[in-house]
Each structure stands twice: as structure tokens, then as C-alpha cells.
Amino acid sequence: MRPAQYSDDDLEQHSLRRRVSDDGQRSGFEHDVDRILYSTQWRALAGKSQVVASGELGAYHTRLTHSMKVAQLGRRMAERLQRRYGGPNPALVEAACMAHDIGHPPFGHAGETAMRATMDELRGRDSQLDSFEGNAQTFRVVTYLAAHKYPGHRGLHLTRACLDAATKYPWERAPLAENPARHVKWGVYDADLAAFAWVRNGRADTDVPVEEQLMDWADDVTYACHDVEDFYRTGHIPLASLFPPPGAAGGDTEREVRRFLDYVQGKRSRAGEPFDRDAAQGLLTEIGKRLTVPAPYSGSHDDAVAVNRRTSDLIDYFTRGITLDIGGSAPIRYGARLVIPAERRAACDLLKELVWAYVIDRPALATQQHGKRRIVGELLRWTHESPELLPPERADELAEHGDVLRAAADHVASLTEDQAVALHRRLSGTGLGSVNDNVGL
């Protein structure tokens, strides 16, 4: 099928306000991929958590390796759909996937929670809506904080279609009483509304392009499959008890399944969400057809091969059945909708809960999370109180926009975890380090 054509508006570059010239070497969306790849913010993701701290012993995924796999999976799904339908563009989906986590702070969910809580407190009751959110920070990074090669122009100059596809929550933060969900998850700060309006180009906040839908599904599948793989290897998730071979289920399986479903049911109940226990049991059975695990991970070559085969089978299960519902003139942008079989989306959501049940909400990680939140919250507070601590680039931006707290948040969010720990030790006086240490100052 002949690939669908994107419009000049789709290919227009932010800030430069021109379409990148196609010289036969790279398309506009391939330019997007390359600009993200060569940015310092992309490299910094190697020092940021996916689930556990980036310096943790063991071959855990970092935010960078997670983003790389999201991009690979997003591109492969787009290639498959383009062969069948003529779109969407694989390079565009790849770029959106690469960018989707680029604004996340050190220490993952714990760092984001601490940034938001501290900003809410420091902003005060009257300005509490302007806070911190990792997805809104992503938009700020690619449109304002990152640097490319054109003096006088901020950001990476990504195309409108790329920025749109990378925007997971296309709305501002809402008051808690008005919309609790949009009070917790949103995609743009007040300071970046002009760039956001240019990207959205009049679209309603309920509209999302098909490229964003692919990015979102690639993110969910990668999170579910690779994070479960990580923590099975290290003995945290008892897959052998949850998904034993046919005929091998015993008391351990019954107890472990009950324990896991009790956890999910309690979590959904606290969130006010319905939970069908029988349906969840059926989903576990379906997942088990591709995740049969005879024993805990031993570290042998045969076990490593088996883990990779099971992960591949799961990814295949989650991605093979996708289709496009085409409602426009072309299977791109707002002319198509990604269709994911409902049972596969529900199975993916349930699989992600394994990481929360056995890892994130474990007491051992909870104590670490407390320390991570303290590091990030105190760094933000101290930098806000003493803006002379800002590095030159953030100080220049402060002179431009005048918002000390936003500049402090931009600084702390940009740190790798090693930098955050070292900077916290230095500022607290518990470890002064060396004058030559690169701790983000």
C-alpha cells in the first residue's frame, strides 16, 4: 500500500516555523528522531530509574533502555500498519516514543511525586495548579529547555506532528474538585501554553492522533513485559507460582494467585474502580498460556533463552491483533483510531500490576522511595530558596521568564540520580565531595 502523505502543517518545525527541507537524505520525521537521539536529555535517561534506582546492581531497565524498547516496538507496529493501511509513518511513531519520557525526573515515580508535592506546597493555595508533571515536563524539554543548533530558537524544533504524537495528556491541570484525574495527570504548564496551542492547532483536548495511540500502547506493552522480566530474573515476582506448567498448579499457585488478586482488588477499590475477580482470573489463565514458568530463574543459559522466548511471545500477543479504524481521508493523524482487542488491553493492565504488587509496594522498596522523595523534595526546596545555586543555563532561563520555582524544578528534573545524590550530600553538608565533581552546578 502506498504510504499516506502528511501535510505541510504536520511537517512544520516548532520555533523555526518552517518545513524541514527533504533533500533525499532524511525526511522531516527522521530529523525528529535524530534530534532527540543527539540531545543531552536523551543521554541523561541512562541515569534515571525505570522502576529501581539506575545504579542498582543487576541488569535492570533504566529509563533510557525502556524508551529505546518503546521506540523499537512503536516503529515495528507502525511498519506493520503502514504495509496494510498506508500509515502511519514509522519514523514519526519512533520519534514520539523516544520523546515520551524525556522530561521525567530522577527516581521515577517517587521523584515525580516529590516534585509535585513540593511545588504544590511552595506555590501556595492560590497558584497550586502550576506544579510538576513528568509528561508536561517532557513537552517543556522538547519545546523550550533542550538546545539544538539555531541561535535564538529554543527547543529541538520537532515537527508539529511529532510534538502532538508525544503529548500523552493534551490538557492543562484541572482543580482537584473539578476533575481529580486531570489534577494528577496533565500535559502542559502555563508557561508553555503558546507552544502547546501551536501544536494542537485548535484540536479539542479529547482528540489524540493515531501516532500518539501507538506510542501509548508501545509504552504499556514494554512496561508490562520487560519490567516483569526484570523482576522475575531477580526473584521478586514469583512467576513459577503464578503461572506453572499445565497440571503442576498446587497450593502455592492458589495462595499466590489469591494474594495477587486481593492486592489488585484492594487497589482498584481504593481508586473507586470496578474489579471483576472472575474476569481477572480468566485473564491470568490467558496470560499463562504465554508465560508458563516451570521454576524460579536460575541464571542458566537455558533459563535466559526461555525468558526471552516468553517475553517475545507476550509482545507478539499484545501487538499482533491491532488494527486501524479509518474514519478520515488517510490512516494518519486524526483520520484513524488504533483498535486494540479489549481482552488484550485488560491483560496488559493486569500484568503491569505484578510490578506494583511485588516490587513497587514492597516495604524494602518503600523505604528507598522515602529516601528518594526526600532527596528530590529537599533539592527543589533548597534551590528555590537559593537561586544562585542554579547552573548557568537555568540562570539564563530564569532571567528570561522570572519564575524561580519553575527554574529550580527544571534544574532538579534534569539531574541524573547519581548527580541528585551527590548534590544532596553536598548541599546538606553530609558529603562535600570535590570541587571538580559534576553534580549539575
Side-chain angles (χ1 to χ4, degrees):
M1 170 114 12
R2 183 179 178 184
Q5 297 298 309
Y6 287 76
S7 70
D8 286 346
D9 279 349
D10 295 333
L11 288 157
E12 188 177 354
Q13 296 173 294
H14 174 253
S15 183
L16 301 180
R17 304 296 174 92
R18 68 188 186 202
R19 175 177 173 166
V20 63
S21 58
D22 188 349
D23 56 5
Q25 301 299 313
R26 288 185 294 171
S27 70
F29 300 140
E30 288 167 343
H31 273 272
D32 289 336
V33 169
D34 295 346
R35 289 174 182 186
I36 297 165
L37 180 67
Y38 280 81
S39 68
T40 57
Q41 289 82 2
W42 172 257
R43 295 198 299 275
L45 294 179
K48 297 187 179 187
S49 303
Q50 174 57 15
V51 177
V52 298
S54 61
E56 190 85 26
L57 294 177
Y60 292 104
H61 284 82
T62 64
R63 192 67 73 164
L64 178 63
T65 55
H66 165 76
S67 296
M68 290 169 66
K69 290 185 176 182
V70 174
Q72 180 269 337
L73 184 56
R75 183 179 183 100
R76 291 295 177 265
M77 288 191 291
E79 288 170 344
R80 194 180 308 152
L81 293 171
Q82 188 182 58
R83 285 193 292 270
R84 180 175 178 182
Y85 298 101
N89 183 280
L92 170 55
V93 174
E94 180 182 14
C97 291
M98 290 175 68
H100 86 282
D101 268 352
I102 206 167
H104 278 250
F107 305 120
H109 179 73
E112 184 176 16
T113 301
M115 293 282 286
R116 182 179 305 144
T118 306
M119 283 195 76
D120 283 350
E121 178 189 341
L122 293 175
R123 283 287 190 211
R125 191 179 303 273
D126 293 338
S127 302
Q128 208 172 44
L129 288 183
D130 192 24
S131 187
F132 184 88
E133 209 280 339
N135 295 282
Q137 191 70 16
T138 286
F139 187 82
R140 183 166 176 80
V141 165
V142 295
T143 60
Y144 182 75
L145 297 175
H148 191 47
K149 64 182 182 181
Y150 299 107
H153 295 277
R154 304 197 64 91
L156 295 178
H157 321 309
L158 303 180
T159 62
R160 176 184 275 111
C162 179
L163 291 170
D164 204 8
T167 302
K168 202 166 186 177
Y169 305 103
W171 52 76
E172 302 169 62
R173 193 185 196 189
L176 179 61
E178 178 183 307
N179 191 321
R182 292 191 178 193
H183 187 75
V184 175
K185 289 292 183 184
W186 71 99
V188 62
Y189 301 136
D190 291 350
D192 305 314
L193 283 174
F196 182 75
W198 178 84
V199 171
R200 296 292 292 170
N201 205 19
R203 290 282 177 180
D205 59 15
T206 53
D207 294 340
V208 288
V210 67
E211 295 86 0
E212 188 279 338
Q213 297 169 49
L214 272 168
M215 176 273 289
D216 200 23
W217 186 233
D219 186 23
D220 281 350
V221 171
T222 301
Y223 183 117
C225 295
H226 294 298
D227 288 354
V228 168
E229 172 193 322
D230 275 356
F231 296 107
Y232 165 65
R233 288 177 185 270
T234 53
H236 291 90
I237 299 180
L239 293 184
S241 294
L242 289 163
F243 305 107
D252 284 351
T253 296
E254 185 180 341
R255 283 191 297 273
E256 208 59 63
V257 169
R258 183 172 61 248
R259 177 187 171 198
F260 172 60
L261 292 180
D262 285 348
Y263 168 86
V264 178
Q265 186 169 4
K267 183 176 178 181
R268 300 276 173 88
S269 177
R270 289 189 296 274
E273 299 173 0
F275 181 70
D276 186 332
R277 195 178 182 97
D278 291 338
Q281 180 71 66
L283 289 171
L284 288 179
T285 300
E286 191 65 31
I287 292 169
K289 294 176 182 178
R290 296 151 187 88
L291 200 59
T292 299
V293 182
Y297 186 71
S298 69
S300 70
H301 179 77
D302 286 347
D303 262 10
V305 170
V307 167
N308 289 336
R309 184 187 66 249
R310 288 191 292 265
T311 300
S312 177
D313 288 347
L314 272 175
I315 292 172
D316 189 70
Y317 169 67
F318 286 129
T319 60
R320 283 287 176 181
I322 62 172
T323 58
L324 292 183
D325 178 12
I326 302 172
S329 59
I332 60 174
R333 301 285 277 143
Y334 295 92
R337 179 178 64 88
L338 181 66
V339 180
I340 301 164
E343 72 279 1
R344 299 191 188 191
R345 188 181 287 278
C348 185
D349 289 342
L350 192 61
L351 198 59
K352 289 192 296 183
E353 294 288 6
L354 287 173
V355 178
W356 282 90
Y358 291 100
V359 182
I360 296 175
D361 281 346
R362 285 179 68 238
L365 188 60
T367 56
Q368 278 195 346
Q369 301 282 64
H370 179 84
K372 294 170 183 176
R373 287 192 294 269
R374 180 174 179 179
I375 289 171
V376 170
E378 289 184 344
L379 284 177
L380 179 55
R381 189 181 305 277
W382 294 339
T383 310
H384 174 247
E385 292 170 351
S386 304
E388 66 273 12
L389 297 173
L390 289 168
E393 190 173 12
R394 301 288 90 84
D396 289 347
E397 290 156 4
L398 174 59
E400 180 178 309
H401 60 64
D403 187 339
V404 175
L405 185 54
R406 180 58 64 197
D410 289 339
H411 173 45
V412 176
S414 74
L415 299 172
T416 65
E417 285 154 21
D418 285 347
Q419 286 178 315
V421 170
L423 183 57
H424 187 269
R425 286 175 178 164
R426 176 175 288 196
L427 293 181
S428 66
T430 58
L432 298 178
S434 165
V435 69
N436 294 318
D437 289 342
N438 177 19
V439 291
L441 287 177

